[in-house]
Amino acid sequence: MILLDGKKASAIVQETIAKEVSSIKKQGKRPPHLVAILVGKNGASVTYVNNKVTACERVGFNSSIIELPENVTQDELLKKIKELNEDNNIDGFIVQLPLPKHINEQEVLLSINPDKDADGFHPTNFGRMALGLESFIPATPYGILELLTQYQIPTEGKNVVVIGRSDIVGKPISILLSQKPWNATVTLTHSRTHNLTDYTKKADIIIAAIGIPNFLKAEMIKDGVVIIDVGITRVEDSSSKKGFRIVGDVDFENVKEKTSHITPVPGGVGPMTIAMLLKNTLNAYIRNQKR
Ligand code: NAD
């Protein structure tokens, strides 16, 4: 079994970006600038945003967080987004999800200028991605592709089973892997799939993105499968300083020896997501400079 080390693979991507930023700065230009909008104080969201900002600083980007209160109105949020859309010194921005219930997430995502949509969630970018045109690819699927590439895992003609059909992971990674140059045969499964094991047992590669700790068991997979575990669930753990630990969708301890490659949680897909958000921001900067 080979561990797909997301920390290592992410560091490789970040080193390349840092070199590019250093050369940009040497030319006397300003570095890329990513802004994160954080609404409320959801613990996981605060951690994610802080991790993203720290990563920006590590590669030499400018970055800032706009913190808005939990009870911010949708209009106020849309006004902030409009300001960012029009500010030429901001190359990309993200609105950390989930948003409070009184805010319509779709309307918010639609209001983001697709050229600054570093998360790649805008329908224009999703549509372009689905058509195989140049676009911002959502960071998590992009990170999975980068991990498969760095570890030279062949996908052409392989049986890929994706579990979970979210707009940000399951759907886009299914579309991407079925396209050139990945050329996989993809099955997208979800909560209404009958007899899931019939599919997972035949899979050469399984991508689990459901958010149910330890869901994928050893008896559901064949020997030699490649497993990408996207799940991140906080599970109470009094022995940990934080009071919780992070658990993936895969029953890692019982599954790992049956696999040829597997991502750990944490330290697998999570760090890749951050690296690819930086890559999207750098791409947004390059586009912005051309305008
Ligand atoms: P989601 O939470 O929006 O949806 C869950 C999906 O799982 C749904 O499509 C549902 O149909 C499917 N599902 C639920 N129960 C199922 C079952 N019994 N069998 C088959 N499918 C089932 O999905 P999401 O936003 O992609 O999040 C999934 C997990 O991935 C969460 O734990 C989330 O925290 C994590 N995540 C991690 C990263 C990362 O960077 N590592 C990024 C995004 C999401």
Side-chain angles (χ1 to χ4, degrees):
M1 180 271 291
I2 295 172
L3 208 60
L4 297 170
D5 186 339
K7 280 192 197 159
K8 219 158 115 187
S10 166
I12 291 171
V13 176
Q14 293 187 47
E15 268 165 41
T16 313
I17 296 173
K19 277 188 195 143
E20 283 202 46
V21 175
S22 150
S23 121
I24 288 168
K25 286 182 176 169
K26 275 191 197 131
Q27 295 164 41
K29 295 185 193 156
R30 73 158 177 85
H33 189 167
L34 178 75
V35 173
I37 299 183
L38 177 63
V39 180
K41 296 234 177 289
N42 173 300
S45 294
V46 172
T47 307
Y48 293 149
V49 165
N50 286 336
N51 288 346
K52 289 168 187 174
V53 166
T54 309
C56 282
E57 285 162 6
R58 219 172 21 237
V59 295
F61 287 180
N62 291 335
S63 68
S64 30
I65 306 180
I66 296 177
E67 290 182 66
L68 299 172
E70 180 83 23
N71 62 358
V72 68
T73 65
Q74 183 161 315
D75 282 349
E76 284 166 329
L77 176 57
L78 292 176
K79 195 168 156 237
K80 203 30 97 189
I81 291 174
K82 187 164 183 283
E83 278 170 34
L84 296 175
N85 280 341
E86 289 166 2
D87 185 342
N88 270 341
N89 288 314
I90 308 293
D91 303 296
F93 64 96
I94 58 168
V95 180
Q96 184 64 43
L97 302 179
L99 291 169
K101 290 213 163 54
H102 66 277
I103 294 179
N104 182 330
E105 226 162 73
Q106 280 303 331
E107 267 186 53
V108 169
L109 295 180
L110 268 169
S111 73
I112 297 172
N113 175 351
D115 288 334
K116 297 193 175 190
D117 174 34
D119 262 336
F121 294 164
H122 191 284
T124 296
N125 282 315
F126 197 98
R128 291 183 64 88
M129 174 210 71
L131 293 171
L133 301 169
E134 196 197 336
S135 68
F136 292 111
I137 297 172
T140 303
Y142 201 3
I144 294 171
L145 296 177
E146 175 67 23
L147 203 51
L148 293 173
T149 305
Q150 282 198 28
Y151 279 88
Q152 297 180 344
I153 293 171
T155 54
E156 179 145 330
K158 298 291 177 191
N159 231 337
V160 175
V161 170
V162 176
I163 318 176
R165 57 177 164 187
S166 72
D167 294 344
I168 62 170
V169 186
K171 260 187 233 170
I173 193 64
S174 306
I175 294 169
L176 288 160
L177 281 172
S178 66
Q179 289 179 350
K180 290 177 185 166
W182 298 285
N183 297 320
T185 304
V186 182
T187 306
L188 177 57
T189 66
H190 46 78
S191 55
R192 308 290 173 93
T193 298
H194 293 165
N195 305 321
L196 180 66
T197 301
D198 289 352
Y199 299 93
T200 53
K201 270 250 180 220
K202 290 189 190 128
D204 303 310
I205 300 174
I206 298 176
I207 299 173
I210 46 182
I212 304 178
N214 300 320
F215 176 86
L216 190 75
K217 306 283 185 207
E219 58 271 21
M220 295 169 75
I221 60 169
K222 69 175 184 186
D223 284 329
V225 64
V226 174
I227 294 190
I228 309 287
D229 187 353
V230 183
I232 296 181
T233 306
R234 287 184 172 196
V235 174
E236 242 179 75
D237 182 355
S238 52
S239 69
S240 138
K241 250 198 262 161
K242 293 177 183 159
F244 66 86
R245 71 197 148 84
I246 301 291
V247 181
D249 289 344
V250 178
D251 183 9
F252 184 88
E253 282 311 316
N254 295 311
V255 157
K256 65 179 182 194
E257 291 313 330
K258 271 184 103 172
T259 67
S260 73
H261 298 77
I262 184 166
T263 56
V265 175
V269 176
M272 296 310 294
T273 297
I274 298 214
M276 304 325 275
L277 173 68
L278 300 178
K279 193 153 184 183
N280 276 343
T281 305
L282 179 62
N283 289 339
Y285 170 87
I286 293 166
R287 282 196 206 178
N288 193 6
Q289 295 291 305
K290 284 185 190 153
R291 273 196 293 271

